[in-house]
Amino acid sequence: MKTIIYNIGTLAGILPEGVRMLKGEEMNHVECIQDAYLVIEDGIIAEFGSMEALGWSGAEYIDAKDGFVIPAFCDAHTHIVYAGCRDGEFRDKIAGLSYEEIAARGGGILNSADLLHETSEDDLYRQSMERVNEVMAMGTGAVEIKSGYGLTLEDELKMLRVIRRIKETTPLTVKSTFLGAHAVGRAYKGRQDDYVDHICKDMLPAVAAEDLADFVDVFTDKGFFTVEQTDKILSEAAKYGIKPKIHANELAVSGGVQVGVKHKAQSVDHLEATTDAEIECLRDSGTMPTMLPGCSFFLGIEFGRAKDYIDAGLPVALSSDYNPGSSPSGNMRFVMALGCIRMRLTPEQSFNACTINSAYAMGVSDLVGSITKGKKANLIITRPIPSLAFIPYSHQTPVIERVIISK
Ligand code: NIG
Ligand code: FE
């Protein structure tokens, strides 16, 4: 099956084969071709170039009508599989309670775990697919999805099976992450170390036996899991060949970055609280610092120091953190806009953070995240817009005409 997209005003986000991430100054540039075409063959980008070089031949044609064509967004950190919502806590938050205070009262993640426990696997899939369809329509072509609202063996497996079903039934590129250490399950209240043992001895082997997780994650933060507990879980996961992605430094400087880098994490995420020591620790580590500005926006906390990381020569990825407690939105275009407006990234830096670097953060930058021959044809076609900057600048204007996501 061959499709030719023609009359592309600007084809943006072109990278040579073999580039897996962009760091420091490399993030300042987005390679473009004006007045371009792009050929898709069997869901793969087969070729692209200037319109004058286009050889018209038997194919399906899509007229881009002078719009931009860019790679679909990659969202390397979500909790998109959850039951119900937490709109009651939204009221508590408005009234002045912090995220930690809501959690300490037994709300927060435990609230979602109770709801999920009452929800059947089929219903959980149905609810989650509504969000999956929502983010695809907004231009997301690859998504990482975490468990972590189960907190019992049975319910964690339920979540991971739903993620597997999303992998099988949608064209999205999906990676699944086991986040049993998101909070201490109710049955283990006051026995945190026993819960960590349960994760290591019972949950991880069961998850590995069904091959349900591409990654393992731990909420290494004040009031949640310690560095020692994280170390233990990551060491155990390594026995099954499962790589980490870590929740680190959302609520405080937690040591999560250091323990993540020690275990060669694919990414360390959040980083709202960061000192120069974390920046140094991540240098040349192969671990992608991934920031979640939607969470900072919603909770009213610090934004990550993305600019400092880039100025220090490091890469940065941005993702949505779509979840019911700290970021109830999976709109990557809004994430890109927050990257510019609140983190002071240039539109080019923010674009690269939401595409190639977030693809790296979920281990799929060989497959998606740029306009590159041989990559999946996951594309956004916009209406005619004046520049790449217009996408985050005019962030509520519905510029997306069409999203193509190839299986
Ligand atoms: O990434 N910080 C931990 N986990 C999520 C929030 C989960 C929730 O509150 O439901 C996050 O912000
Ligand atoms: Fe998260």
Side-chain angles (χ1 to χ4, degrees), residues 77 79 146 247 270 292 321 323:
H77 183 134
H79 309 251
K146 301 174 195 298
H247 276 74
H270 274 287
L292 312 168
D321 198 16
N323 78 75

Side-chain angles (χ1 to χ4, degrees), residues 315-355:
V316 166
L318 296 180
S319 290
S320 78
D321 198 16
Y322 195 175
N323 78 75
S326 70
S327 183
S329 162
N331 186 344
M332 283 298 289
R333 186 166 167 223
F334 183 52
V335 169
M336 184 180 167
L338 288 174
C340 297
I341 298 162
R342 300 304 306 272
M343 302 167 107
R344 296 178 46 244
L345 299 183
T346 65
E348 290 75 17
Q349 290 170 336
S350 200
F351 171 86
N352 287 322
C354 291
T355 53

Side-chain angles (χ1 to χ4, degrees), residues 199-222:
I199 289 175
C200 293
K201 292 205 182 92
D202 306 313
M203 291 195 190
L204 269 169
V207 167
E210 285 190 49
D211 198 16
L212 285 169
D214 300 303
F215 297 102
V216 62
D217 195 342
V218 177
F219 189 6
T220 313
D221 221 320
K222 190 173 144 213

